[in-house]
Amino acid sequence: MSLRGTTIVIASIVLMATLTNAWPSGAPAGACSSLDPDTHGPSTATGTAPYALTFSSSTYQPGQVVQVRLQGAAFKGFLIVGRKADGSSTDPVGFFQNPSSDSKLQCLNGTTGNGITHTSNSVKNGLTFDWRAPSTSVGNIVFHYTIVRGGAPSTTSDPSDYYKDEQSAALSPNSQALHFRQEPRRNDEVKDAIRLVKQDITKTVTDLDKLLRRINV
């Protein structure tokens, strides 16, 4: 075999090894914006993704911890990030925390949020994550996620078997939190009303006292 032929064979073996084991220990930071597992090649998955993200609450308050559950068919890899629903930025919002042995933090942005990804390409059957809402409301939040089924439930690797950039239902700000902010003003209004009532009662008592004095005279 010629040197050129040997080089092509070696390159092909390296490429196949890369595709077979593409990012087994988690998605790279470079995938955080596009959620594209580019080293996996074009996706061969067809039909509607058999996965969904569900939440312990359909709304959030600033700083609230919400449980995010990835459920559906068996899978091997994933990358999940929360973003503003208006699409104004691909920066993550909210912070995943307390990852289990099956997950690790990724897409770290100290000011706005982070994402979460897998730690191995073992077969998984649903995972739950803790996510902390931003310290201030940012409007509706949608979670974007890519799932690598990878041939699961078979342990044989199929890196091109994935669903890219799926989206969850939106988490909306809790309206009660807005009411709480207005509570001090309501308290002031109540206090003013009580003060006026007291003044009216005092005036009424004074008028009655004067009337009684006239009758006694």
Side-chain angles (χ1 to χ4, degrees):
M1 182 181 295
S2 67
L3 178 61
R4 183 172 181 274
T6 302
T7 301
I8 292 173
V9 170
I10 293 174
S12 298
I13 293 173
V14 171
L15 177 59
M16 288 302 297
T18 299
L19 289 175
T20 303
N21 300 289
W23 311 117
S25 59
C32 293
S33 295
S34 66
L35 280 87
D36 186 8
D38 52 2
T39 60
H40 289 236
S43 175
T44 58
T46 58
T48 302
Y51 305 101
L53 289 181
T54 59
F55 310 103
S56 60
S57 173
S58 60
T59 63
Y60 72 90
Q61 294 184 23
Q64 177 184 357
V65 175
V66 176
Q67 277 70 52
V68 179
R69 180 164 180 77
L70 170 57
Q71 57 189 18
F75 60 94
K76 296 180 180 179
F78 60 90
L79 176 61
I80 306 171
V81 294
R83 294 176 180 169
K84 293 180 180 179
D86 62 11
S88 60
S89 173
T90 59
D91 289 342
V93 294
F95 293 86
F96 286 96
Q97 57 188 28
N98 306 321
S100 68
S101 59
D102 288 315
S103 60
K104 66 179 181 181
L105 305 181
Q106 184 57 287
C107 310
L108 307 178
N109 185 323
T111 58
T112 64
N114 61 17
I116 198 161
T117 187
H118 57 283
T119 55
S120 74
N121 58 1
S122 63
V123 176
K124 305 166 185 65
N125 292 281
L127 293 172
T128 300
F129 316 99
D130 288 340
W131 174 84
R132 176 167 50 84
S135 57
T136 58
S137 174
V138 295
N140 287 351
I141 296 174
V142 168
F143 288 80
H144 294 245
Y145 58 104
T146 289
I147 305 297
V148 178
R149 183 166 53 189
S154 171
T155 56
T156 302
S157 179
D158 183 1
S160 62
D161 180 21
Y162 64 86
Y163 293 88
K164 173 188 170 183
D165 199 7
E166 300 292 323
Q167 296 184 28
S168 72
L171 280 182
S172 57
N174 190 329
S175 59
Q176 290 183 353
L178 300 178
H179 295 329
F180 292 154
R181 292 174 190 155
Q182 298 174 358
E183 203 62 37
R185 182 177 177 183
R186 290 183 179 178
N187 288 339
D188 290 340
E189 292 173 351
V190 170
K191 288 178 181 179
D192 288 341
I194 292 174
R195 180 174 52 81
L196 292 174
V197 169
K198 285 182 177 180
Q199 289 176 354
D200 289 341
I201 292 174
T202 300
K203 185 177 182 302
T204 300
V205 170
T206 301
D207 291 344
L208 286 173
D209 184 59
K210 289 179 180 179
L211 179 59
L212 287 172
R213 287 180 182 179
R214 289 177 184 175
I215 293 173
N216 291 335
V217 172

